Amino acid sequence: MKKESGIHIEGLSKRYGEGATAVDALKEVNMSVAPGEVVGLIGPSGSGKTTLLKCLGAVIEPTQGRMTLGGEVIYDNGWRISDLRVLRRDRIGFIFQAPYLIPFLDVTDNVALLPMLAGRPNGEARARALELLQALDVAHRASAETSELSGGEQQRVSIARALANRPPVILADEPTAPLDSERALAVVRILNQMASQYHTAIIVVTHDEKIIPTFKRIYHIRDGRTYEEAGEGRALQ
């Protein structure tokens, strides 16, 4: 059987509680993101966005359904991965609204830390970090302390960190919320470039109206159900 790379979700549901007090946060969600594609996920507060991202990120367990990440079934009415920590470290990149950089490490070591934790030699991990910093146009800050970076530079470093272990999947949760229009669009441009260059499937959860027109495909989520639509796919200059 041919492996499906990227992100594939089939009939994914998540129920909190039991009986009369049960709440269905996700209701048979279906979603697909191809390698090299950046897809938007939008919806009002309480619609299920965070729950879906946590299920995809192996932070919480779904109630039923099937999830395939990077050609590997990770959940099929139960986890199919024995060590979820290793899955999160090696197979999924996370980008958050705040960069969450480690203040006592310099920029290079912030990016190199995950490959080091995965067992790669320090020299190899640092070389990978410098490659990504160069691709993201922040190599000139490689030895800087994180407190010396601008907000846009910090977010670029967090993107480099998410890519450090070459994950097939990146989950970005409101990555442009604290940025102005110019920097927000720059982050989206970078995500598209990185998706194409590294063949990564990326989901961006956002309320940011500045970037929504840039997506070629969008999933709306309402009351725990997803609805796909074609986006504007507005060109990024």
Side-chain angles (χ1 to χ4, degrees):
M1 180 182 296
K2 182 180 179 181
K3 285 189 175 182
E4 297 178 307
S5 54
I7 302 169
H8 295 274
I9 305 171
E10 303 169 55
L12 196 73
S13 298
K14 174 61 180 178
R15 172 172 289 183
Y16 293 104
E18 297 179 358
T21 61
V23 175
D24 291 312
L26 298 176
K27 303 172 185 176
E28 298 188 358
V29 167
N30 296 296
M31 179 182 288
S32 181
V33 184
E37 186 179 25
V38 180
V39 167
L41 177 62
I42 64 177
S45 296
S47 59
K49 299 188 306 298
T50 298
T51 297
L52 178 55
L53 220 62
K54 286 182 176 180
C55 288
L56 275 170
V59 176
I60 62 175
E61 183 172 0
T63 303
Q64 65 180 29
R66 178 183 172 95
M67 296 190 295
T68 303
L69 301 183
E72 183 174 11
V73 176
I74 68 164
Y75 183 87
D76 191 355
N77 293 317
W79 293 115
R80 295 295 180 259
I81 301 293
S82 58
D83 194 332
L84 295 179
R85 292 173 300 174
V86 171
L87 171 71
R88 289 190 292 267
R89 185 191 68 199
D90 295 350
R91 307 283 291 167
I92 306 169
F94 296 92
I95 303 170
F96 303 100
Q97 180 173 333
Y100 295 118
L101 301 177
I102 300 173
F104 54 83
L105 297 179
D106 69 16
V107 166
T108 301
D109 284 340
N110 262 277
V111 179
L113 181 61
L114 280 180
M116 289 178 186
L117 291 175
R120 291 174 176 78
N122 287 8
E124 179 184 326
R126 290 177 65 82
R128 170 65 174 166
L130 289 171
E131 171 196 331
L132 289 167
L133 293 172
Q134 182 69 42
L136 291 162
D137 198 27
V138 281
H140 62 291
R141 307 294 261 160
S143 299
E145 300 299 320
T146 59
S147 61
E148 300 171 6
L149 305 181
S150 69
E153 287 173 335
Q154 289 186 15
Q155 199 62 305
R156 288 175 184 236
V157 174
S158 74
I159 293 170
R161 180 183 58 194
L163 289 160
N165 275 335
R166 296 179 173 84
V169 167
I170 286 181
L171 307 176
D173 189 7
E174 299 284 0
T176 65
L179 305 177
D180 60 29
S181 294
E182 182 178 351
R183 288 174 176 166
L185 291 173
V187 166
V188 177
R189 187 182 308 114
I190 288 166
L191 290 175
N192 278 275
Q193 290 170 347
M194 296 297 101
S196 177
Q197 182 174 347
Y198 296 106
H199 219 48
T200 307
I202 301 179
I203 293 177
V204 179
V205 172
T206 188
H207 287 100
D208 192 345
E209 294 184 0
K210 300 185 296 291
I211 69 170
I212 289 173
T214 68
F215 297 113
K216 294 180 180 178
R217 284 203 306 130
I218 294 171
Y219 282 94
H220 292 268
I221 185 165
R222 293 190 297 273
D223 300 323
R225 299 186 186 275
T226 50
Y227 308 85
E228 182 185 356
E229 72 173 18
E232 293 182 36
R234 189 176 299 172
L236 290 160
Q237 302 300 322

